[in-house]
């Protein structure tokens, strides 16, 4: 079992819809979680961080964390074609120095 | 600087050649990380520096890989006797030491070993 798992997709949603991206992690002691967006041929760009249970909203993005279920999600409201990218979930595992462990990413396509 | 800067952006090396990849982190960021990203995969951790100290090098795939950060700012990742399986994008990230641990990535160096 990978330490951080994501549905590899690809995921397609129509423009204006809500895109839901999911991630599970195996280390119950993990405390910090991040979502990065990566356009093709570009480097990962941090879009959300979440450290406590519940929801965290930033514009059209909402991150959700459920530590009991070891589950992190990212919702993108009013999806735009410019949101089409690979979304990487990352966790700072307990016992690690400070590095991140990434999932393999979910490719999202927003159809105009 | 405004962001993490990496050079070169692209590097083609002949098998067996040594390469050096450079990372200039965000000013004031004490933590510096190197990751390797294969096509279609998430980044994989290589090594971590806190200032000039290399605190974790558990992700380095072999003793051909060596990283340093002698003055606690710029870092160099060196790969000796490159092999085809070393072909990947090498990403550098930096973050503050205290408070949140948000890490910001550079543009990466795409290494192709032929």
């Amino acid at each position: 079992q990978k330490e951080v798992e994501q549905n590899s997709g690809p995921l397609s949603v129509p423009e204006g819809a809500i895109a839901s991206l999911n991630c599970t992690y195996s280390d119950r002691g993990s405390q910090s979680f991040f979502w990065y967006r990566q356009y093709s041929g570009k480097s990962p760009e941090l879009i959300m961080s979440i450290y406590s249970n519940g929801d965290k909203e930033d514009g059209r993005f909402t991150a959700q964390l459920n530590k009991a279920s070891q589950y992190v999600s990212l919702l993108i409201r009013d999806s735009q074609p410019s949101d089409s990218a690979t979304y990487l979930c990352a966790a700072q595992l307990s016992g690690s120095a400070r590095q991140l462990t990434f999932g393999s990413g979910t490719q999202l396509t927003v159809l105009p | 600087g405004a962001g993490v800067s990496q050079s070169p952006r692209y590097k083609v090396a002949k098998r067996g050649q040594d390469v050096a990849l450079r990372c200039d982190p965000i000013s004031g960021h004490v933590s510096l990380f190197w990751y390797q990203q294969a096509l279609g995969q998430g980044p994989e951790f290589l090594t971590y520096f806190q200032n000039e100290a290399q605190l974790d090098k558990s992700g380095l795939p072999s003793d051909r890989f060596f990283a340093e950060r002698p003055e606690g700012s710029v870092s160099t990742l060196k790969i000796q006797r490159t092999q085809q399986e070393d072909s990947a994008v090498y990403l550098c990230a930096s973050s503050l030491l205290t408070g949140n641990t948000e890490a910001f990535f550079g543009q990466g160096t795409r290494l192709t070993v032929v």
Side-chain angles (χ1 to χ4, degrees):
Chain A
Q1 181 189 8
K2 291 191 68 176
E3 292 167 312
V4 178
E5 294 209 52
Q6 297 181 248
N7 291 334
S8 59
L11 174 67
S12 293
V13 299
E15 184 174 356
I18 296 175
S20 177
L21 304 162
N22 304 314
C23 174
T24 58
Y25 59 96
S26 59
D27 175 23
R28 187 169 289 278
S30 299
Q31 295 294 322
S32 304
F33 303 89
F34 306 88
W35 284 98
Y36 285 82
R37 177 176 63 198
Q38 188 171 30
Y39 292 113
S40 181
K42 302 296 185 182
S43 63
E45 174 192 7
L46 180 66
I47 54 172
M48 289 289 285
S49 60
I50 188 165
Y51 305 99
S52 55
N53 275 329
D55 295 359
K56 179 182 178 183
E57 186 174 319
D58 184 0
R60 295 186 296 111
F61 299 97
T62 299
Q64 299 173 317
L65 174 60
N66 183 326
K67 290 186 178 179
S69 300
Q70 296 174 235
Y71 178 87
V72 191
S73 66
L74 179 70
L75 301 178
I76 307 174
R77 289 182 301 281
D78 188 25
S79 296
Q80 301 298 309
S82 59
D83 295 326
S84 299
T86 295
Y87 289 80
L88 296 163
C89 173
Q92 187 178 355
L93 305 182
S94 62
S96 66
R98 292 171 66 83
Q99 66 267 28
L100 298 178
T101 299
F102 285 84
S104 55
T106 298
Q107 187 177 343
L108 172 67
T109 300
V110 181
L111 303 170
Chain B
V4 179
S5 179
Q6 291 187 247
S7 62
R9 292 292 311 279
Y10 305 92
K11 176 69 179 179
V12 178
K14 292 185 178 180
R15 190 158 53 106
Q17 185 180 355
D18 297 350
V19 298
L21 313 180
R22 175 190 166 104
C23 172
D24 195 347
I26 294 172
S27 178
H29 279 195
V30 167
S31 297
L32 184 147
F33 309 84
W34 284 98
Y35 292 85
Q36 180 190 61
Q37 188 174 24
L39 192 63
Q41 299 297 315
E44 296 275 348
F45 169 73
L46 294 176
T47 187
Y48 163 59
F49 288 88
Q50 182 176 313
N51 292 308
E52 68 279 4
Q54 189 174 21
L55 298 187
D56 190 335
K57 54 181 181 179
S58 62
L60 296 176
S62 78
D63 59 8
R64 296 186 296 103
F65 286 71
F66 172 76
E68 60 183 5
R69 194 186 184 197
E71 297 178 358
S73 55
V74 171
S75 176
T76 303
L77 176 67
K78 298 180 179 178
I79 309 173
Q80 297 176 323
R81 304 181 303 281
T82 52
Q83 304 294 317
Q84 282 192 320
E85 61 263 29
D86 300 335
S87 296
V89 175
Y90 290 85
L91 295 163
C92 177
S94 70
S95 72
L96 294 168
L97 179 62
T98 57
N100 65 54
T101 55
E102 295 179 347
F104 300 91
F105 283 85
Q107 320 94 303
T109 295
R110 181 177 296 278
L111 173 65
T112 303
V113 181
V114 297

